[in-house]
Amino acid sequence: MSTEKLKHHKIIFVVGGPGSGKGTQCEKIVQKYGYTHLSTGDLLRAEVSSGSERGKKLQAIMEKGELVPLDTVLDMLRDAMVAKADVSKGFLIDGYPREVKQGEEFEKKIAPPTLLLYVDAGKETMVKRLLKRGETSGRVDDNEETIKKRLETYYKATEPVIAFYKSRGIVRQLNAEGSVEEVFQQVCSHLDSL
């Protein structure tokens, strides 16, 4: 399976904390620009529910609360990208890379990213949004205690990643405090200049 044809596609890493609104922004980018939105979480869930061999192995790993091996995640991303290469104008890789090593491996195995969109909302804003979501989502992890923990984990993991790509000049930081539309205007100004 060749990653050759991915070399000419725009590949955009989308990084943002829980509650930053990156999911919403990704949806809007897909609608306007015809990019393919790939979230590693969704890919893993789809693989598990497909009942494939790989899916069964993944389920066992996740049930133990262990992390899925980086190689497996990359293979799944690559397969998904190659499958869509002919119909897609570009790729939004959502919630990846979680650490610098993942970014480096992605480049080795797939292709270098064109941009990293950093959907940056303040801690207070993210806590507020997640608590609000928790009122209706019924998600057990949308409570204040857990939210603060999730945010800490997120910041610890993300800071080195942002720094790594900043040094290469491909980070575009969005102020994600405003309305969905305001944030999307910033997104468009970065994507339109590609």
Side-chain angles (χ1 to χ4, degrees), residues 78-127:
R78 189 185 55 203
D79 294 353
M81 291 171 78
V82 170
K84 291 263 166 54
D86 293 333
V87 292
S88 187
K89 301 203 162 96
F91 295 95
L92 296 172
I93 313 290
D94 180 352
Y96 190 95
R98 291 256 159 90
E99 48 187 65
V100 172
K101 183 168 171 276
Q102 291 182 340
E104 293 174 328
E105 288 298 314
F106 183 98
E107 257 173 73
K108 265 192 221 135
K109 279 194 162 180
I110 303 174
T114 316
L115 274 191
L116 184 150
L117 281 182
Y118 180 26
V119 187
D120 187 24
K123 217 176 237 170
E124 294 312 305
T125 303
M126 292 198 274
V127 171

Side-chain angles (χ1 to χ4, degrees), residues 90-182:
F91 295 95
L92 296 172
I93 313 290
D94 180 352
Y96 190 95
R98 291 256 159 90
E99 48 187 65
V100 172
K101 183 168 171 276
Q102 291 182 340
E104 293 174 328
E105 288 298 314
F106 183 98
E107 257 173 73
K108 265 192 221 135
K109 279 194 162 180
I110 303 174
T114 316
L115 274 191
L116 184 150
L117 281 182
Y118 180 26
V119 187
D120 187 24
K123 217 176 237 170
E124 294 312 305
T125 303
M126 292 198 274
V127 171
K128 248 204 308 253
R129 287 180 186 167
L130 289 169
L131 285 173
K132 200 176 169 71
R133 186 175 82 185
E135 290 167 18
T136 53
S137 74
R139 276 179 57 162
V140 285
D141 56 356
D142 282 345
N143 63 66
E144 192 143 2
E145 200 44 42
T146 319
I147 287 169
K148 296 226 158 106
K149 278 210 185 80
R150 280 163 67 201
L151 287 177
E152 243 159 73
T153 310
Y154 159 73
Y155 281 117
K156 241 195 227 108
T158 310
E159 276 162 10
V161 171
I162 301 294
F164 176 72
Y165 288 106
K166 262 192 179 150
S167 69
R168 291 166 57 171
I170 64 167
V171 172
R172 301 291 178 269
Q173 194 157 348
L174 308 170
N175 173 354
E177 293 288 328
S179 69
V180 170
E181 279 313 319
E182 286 165 347

Side-chain angles (χ1 to χ4, degrees), residues 16-88:
S20 63
K22 74 179 161 67
T24 309
Q25 294 301 324
C26 284
E27 280 167 32
K28 293 182 78 65
I29 295 170
V30 169
Q31 285 164 0
K32 179 169 177 181
Y33 293 94
Y35 283 20
T36 299
H37 177 208
L38 297 173
S39 139
T40 50
D42 290 349
L43 287 173
L44 288 169
R45 282 186 287 275
E47 188 78 43
V48 168
S49 62
S50 78
S52 69
E53 269 315 300
R54 183 155 74 179
K56 288 190 186 106
K57 283 194 187 117
L58 290 173
Q59 190 165 6
I61 293 171
M62 294 195 290
E63 276 170 2
K64 285 189 210 138
E66 291 169 6
L67 282 180
V68 174
L70 178 56
D71 279 350
T72 309
V73 176
L74 274 175
D75 288 344
M76 290 170 66
L77 272 173
R78 189 185 55 203
D79 294 353
M81 291 171 78
V82 170
K84 291 263 166 54
D86 293 333
V87 292
S88 187

